[in-house]
Amino acid sequence: MTYQNIILHYPYSPLGITAPHVAVIQLNRPKVLNALSTDLMKELVNCLNTCDDNPEIHTIVLTGNDKAFAAGADIAEMATSTPIDQIIEQRFKSWTLLGMISKPIIAAVNGFALGGGCELAMSCDLIVAGDTAKFGQPEIKIGTLPGAGGTQRLTRAIGKSKAMWMILSGEMMDAQSALESGLVAKVFPAETLLAEAVEMAKIIATKAPVAIRLAKEAVNKAFETSLKDGMDFERRNFFLTFSSADQKEGMRAFLEKREAIYKGK
Ligand code: HXC
């Protein structure tokens, strides 16, 4: 499939060196700071599903460009729409489908991650930022509020007071503050961000794919459930790994002091 609004880099081979098992998806509407149109979101979900279905791909990096990861939902597309339009268009269908991807997605954010752009980054499994990154939920400045999880995910990520301030004022948070607040995992110089994100993706990609999938599920469960139910879920996924060949291989390899060779089974 050819995409108009995103670019899939797989195999990802900067300078001719391939990053094994890593796909990079780039949002590509630079003229409008990667505003997340309905078509872009459909293509993104389609592409993520393609990556999810390809057993050769273990980790996905989602990025934008130097100026913007994404400056939000496409305001031009949204401005005159009615609630009924949005219900008929199923505005949030792509966002729901995004949550069903089983492989880890790293958001690599340079520049603006605003509104839906911030929500998209937070929908990924972890965020790394370039030192120019700016996160924000500025919807309040245009007469609305976050609609794709911003009030919930940002609050869980950085706590109530900081999230409330960002959402009620529309003020942005810089990369360093995002790091200190726990919104992002690491900050790198903007120029090396993508390379660093791909290095992190490669580290994840060397691990047993089934365990990675079950671990991702278990961490995400922490957002949806009580501590006890989350612990029960974790325990079940922990036991489940012991039915995988990769767990046997991983532990055997440790005891034999060699690298494990995982088969994803
Ligand atoms: C459509 C957008 C856009 C957006 C920028 N552009 N953001 N178009 N939707 N979200 C367009 C501008 O209109 C402009 O087009 C071009 O991109 C460059 O933007 P400028 O404003 O000229 O750039 P700059 O002065 O550097 O300012 C950057 C900015 C500003 C601070 C990020 O663009 C901005 O405030 N954007 C809107 C941010 C926002 O409100 N996001 C939340 C959207 S609501 P032209 O044609 O003039 O060159 C939302 C709800 C989510 O996300 C709900 C769930 C899906």
Side-chain angles (χ1 to χ4, degrees), residues 47-238:
C47 185
L48 284 168
N49 273 321
T50 302
C51 295
D52 216 26
D53 292 345
N54 182 342
E56 285 301 308
I57 296 175
H58 294 185
T59 325
I60 301 157
V61 175
L62 178 62
T63 196
N65 55 45
D66 291 349
K67 179 141 193 212
F69 176 74
D74 191 322
I75 299 171
E77 186 183 82
M78 245 179 347
T80 58
S81 80
T82 68
I84 298 301
D85 292 335
Q86 301 198 43
I87 290 166
I88 292 168
E89 288 160 10
Q90 298 184 283
R91 170 166 290 282
F92 292 103
K93 187 173 175 185
S94 297
W95 293 84
T96 305
L97 295 173
L98 198 64
M100 294 170 71
I101 302 299
S102 70
K103 292 174 184 168
I105 310 172
I106 299 176
V109 175
N110 266 335
F112 296 113
L114 302 179
C118 187
E119 291 168 312
L120 178 60
M122 292 191 292
S123 302
C124 296
D125 297 301
L126 65 101
I127 307 175
V128 292
D131 51 13
T132 60
K134 290 201 182 306
F135 298 87
Q137 297 290 161
E139 291 90 340
I140 207 76
K141 294 183 183 173
I142 53 170
T144 183
L145 69 150
T151 60
Q152 305 302 300
R153 287 205 172 97
L154 191 63
T155 305
R156 282 165 165 80
I158 68 174
K160 178 179 166 181
S161 278
K162 286 181 179 172
M164 191 69 89
W165 173 245
M166 286 177 71
I167 289 165
L168 299 190
S169 70
E171 275 195 9
M172 298 184 211
M173 176 182 260
D174 66 20
Q176 194 54 38
S177 305
L179 181 67
E180 285 156 16
S181 302
L183 179 60
V184 310
K186 291 172 189 267
V187 174
F188 299 105
E191 316 80 70
T192 60
L193 172 71
L194 185 55
E196 297 283 4
V198 168
E199 281 308 309
M200 291 169 72
K202 280 162 67 181
I203 291 170
I204 296 171
T206 61
K207 308 297 184 289
V210 175
I212 288 283
R213 183 176 179 151
L214 295 175
K216 165 174 164 157
E217 260 182 29
V219 174
N220 282 332
K221 211 56 169 178
F223 288 94
E224 290 159 16
T225 190
S226 67
L227 180 60
K228 184 181 179 311
D229 289 348
M231 299 279 279
D232 288 346
F233 187 87
E234 176 191 86
R235 194 71 40 88
R236 275 195 290 275
N237 279 7
F238 174 77

Side-chain angles (χ1 to χ4, degrees), residues 247-259:
Q247 172 272 325
K248 300 288 174 272
E249 165 63 8
M251 293 196 182
R252 197 183 314 119
F254 174 82
L255 295 172
E256 292 171 1
K257 302 190 186 308
R258 62 173 174 81
E259 288 292 313

